[in-house]
Amino acid sequence: MPLYSERVPDSLLRSTTTASTALFTDVYELTMLEAALADGTGSRPCTFEVFARRLPPGRRYGVVGGTGRLVDALETFRFGEEELAVAGRFLDASTVEWLRRYRFSGDIEGYREGDFYFPGSPVLAVRGTFAECVLLETLILSILNHDSAVASAAARMVSAADGRTLIEMGSRRTHEEAAVACARAAYLAGFDATSNLEAVRRHGVPGTGTAAHAFTLVHTTGAGRDEAAAFRSQVETLGVGTTLLVDTYDITNGVRTAVEAAGTGLGAVRIDSGDLGVLARQVREQLDGLGATNTKIVLSGDLDEYAIAGLRAEPVDVYGVGTSLVTGSGAPTAGMVYKLVEVDGIPVEKRSAHKESRGGAKRAVRFARPTGTLVEEVIYPAEAPVPEGDGEVVHELMVPLICDGERVDDVATLEESRALLAHGLISLPWEGLTLSAGDAAVPTRFVR
């Protein structure tokens, strides 16, 4: 069995869901909707923008994740009878009838999935009537905040791994649906595979798996049973290319037994506990001494970007990452907000302390040196010409996603977004890739 599978054919991929996403929202969207429809403000043309006021502590850049999932989710944002039965508990009859006919008919543009964002970046712009736009706030933020947080954390791990294989294996540490989204976001950021089968089917992420300690324990319990029985069973069933978990008992004995069971062609051994750096060196020396020079070493067990960076000098081939990738401690919220910035073409802004917003619809462009290194991001009024900057224009950052309520034909695929981020990581200033706290890797400049 190979270390991880190839992507499944597109013919086997299944869309996220055909069920309505309309109730992935908050009640306060409905209360605003009913009042706005009643007083006439619901029909006023508006622009809402998604942005993060600041990056999480210690971060130098953020990665936009979830755009593809969001476009899919908007296509099923429909109020059928079941959804109306729930929403109707909070609304009057006329608002329920409005929801029955609801179809978003406006325009959405935003940063490409896999691109960077920095403080103030207008990651997404939603244009339409107040009523149809305000309903989308929670769905948009829940997808972008979650996937961007995971993708940003995963990208740091990819940089720390320095070309070594990374496997996402956090499904047992988060909600079952979040696990699928986490696997997708990690793959977007450069992870090589996931342990989550639904992510394999739904998004085409390559899948992989080894074995848990339970498999060894069930083979070693009872008279005449030992660790070799577990390893022989796995090898006989899955082939010598499989990965054997060698730290259930004594690692030295486990490695010896693994090579005896599979031969020197054993695919990999996995270590899940202990001082991983010390153990990796010892196991590499032992494997080489046994003639298993091509057997890879897989490390797992509460790894994060700092642990991965600390292991860079060790003979590690593959990292398995779970908890720190899928939980808030390792992937802190992206902190994105959804704010009204324009009404009837007139800029509006929020002035609350520490929660301010800049009025007016915006666009953004990024500049780079001739070498390709990014130097600044410039945010400017949407109707203004592209301003001059310190360097050469890389590209306009906002692209169409939804036009007149319909998705555009060229929304990037997951593979295209993954390639965009891989290329982008090369263009960041070197200090932006460090794991130490500091200023954003690329400064943002606002032009009025």
Side-chain angles (χ1 to χ4, degrees), residues 47 54 84 91 127-128 135 158 163 171 180 188-189 197 203 214 250 282 284 300 329 356 358 376 391 415 421 423-424:
T47 299
R54 58 194 65 85
L84 291 171
L91 300 170
R127 298 184 179 89
L135 269 182
V158 169
S171 296
V180 183
L188 161 71
L197 275 176
H203 301 300
D250 178 79
Q282 292 176 351
R284 182 73 271 159
S300 57
S329 58
E356 65 282 350
R358 294 176 182 268
E376 70 172 345
E415 290 295 327
L421 177 54
H423 177 76

Side-chain angles (χ1 to χ4, degrees), residues 409-432:
D409 293 333
D410 57 350
V411 173
T413 66
L414 178 57
E415 290 295 327
E416 291 169 339
S417 299
R418 175 179 162 89
L420 176 68
L421 177 54
H423 177 76
L425 288 170
I426 299 172
S427 69
L428 275 182
W430 69 266
E431 61 270 20

Side-chain angles (χ1 to χ4, degrees), residues 79-382:
F79 288 85
E81 294 307 316
E82 292 184 1
E83 290 73 38
L84 291 171
V86 177
R89 299 174 62 186
F90 306 93
L91 300 170
D92 61 20
S94 62
T95 307
V96 169
E97 287 306 307
W98 188 91
L99 286 178
R100 192 187 305 277
R101 300 186 301 273
Y102 176 80
R103 301 289 186 275
F104 179 72
S105 63
D107 300 325
I108 299 178
E109 61 178 358
Y111 282 33
R112 299 164 176 85
E113 186 166 26
D115 209 340
F116 301 120
Y117 71 89
F118 301 99
S121 295
V123 170
L124 200 77
V126 182
R127 298 184 179 89
T129 66
F130 177 82
E132 63 179 342
C133 292
V134 77
L135 269 182
L136 301 179
E137 176 185 7
T138 302
L139 180 70
I140 288 172
L141 289 182
S142 62
I143 292 176
L144 293 185
N145 267 320
H146 176 272
D147 288 25
S148 297
V150 175
S152 299
R156 286 160 58 90
M157 297 176 191
V158 169
S159 296
D162 196 26
R164 298 175 186 178
T165 298
L166 283 161
I167 301 171
E168 185 282 317
M169 44 200 308
S171 296
R172 290 158 293 164
R173 298 293 185 267
T174 188
H175 184 277
E176 65 273 15
E177 280 294 332
V180 183
C182 286
R184 181 187 183 278
Y187 183 67
L188 161 71
F191 270 54
D192 298 278
T194 181
S195 63
N196 187 283
L197 275 176
E198 183 61 22
V200 173
R201 174 173 72 164
R202 192 180 294 181
H203 301 300
V205 180
T208 190
T210 58
H213 294 290
F215 186 77
T216 300
L217 292 171
V218 76
H219 285 82
T220 57
T221 302
R225 296 180 178 274
D226 56 20
E227 197 170 32
F231 292 165
R232 284 195 303 269
S233 172
Q234 190 170 332
V235 170
E236 289 170 2
T237 304
L238 302 174
V240 297
T242 192
T243 301
L244 298 178
L245 181 61
V246 295
D247 69 337
T248 304
Y249 301 112
D250 178 79
I251 290 181
T252 301
N253 288 334
V255 170
R256 183 186 308 111
T257 304
V259 175
E260 289 173 352
T264 57
L266 174 62
V269 295
R270 179 163 74 98
I271 307 169
D272 191 51
S273 58
D275 189 327
L276 297 179
V278 172
L279 292 173
R281 291 195 300 274
Q282 292 176 351
V283 168
R284 182 73 271 159
E285 183 178 352
Q286 185 182 6
L287 287 169
D288 291 348
L290 293 170
T293 56
N294 293 322
T295 299
K296 297 181 183 298
I297 295 177
V298 181
L299 295 187
S300 57
D302 297 325
L303 295 176
D304 59 15
E305 61 265 48
Y306 301 103
I308 292 170
L311 292 164
R312 185 176 294 180
E314 308 299 346
V316 183
D317 300 289
V318 182
Y319 301 100
V321 184
T323 303
S324 64
L325 186 59
V326 304
T327 64
S329 58
T333 177
M336 293 181 181
V337 294
Y338 183 85
K339 297 300 177 184
L340 180 65
V341 297
E342 195 170 84
V343 179
D344 292 329
I346 302 170
V348 296
E349 59 187 38
K350 183 178 178 182
R351 300 180 180 178
S352 306
H354 307 297
K355 289 190 174 183
E356 65 282 350
S357 63
R358 294 176 182 268
K362 307 168 195 68
R363 297 192 64 80
V365 67
R366 206 167 280 155
F367 292 89
R369 297 190 181 96
T371 58
T373 302
L374 299 175
V375 292
E376 70 172 345
E377 181 172 312
V378 179
I379 301 168
Y380 60 98

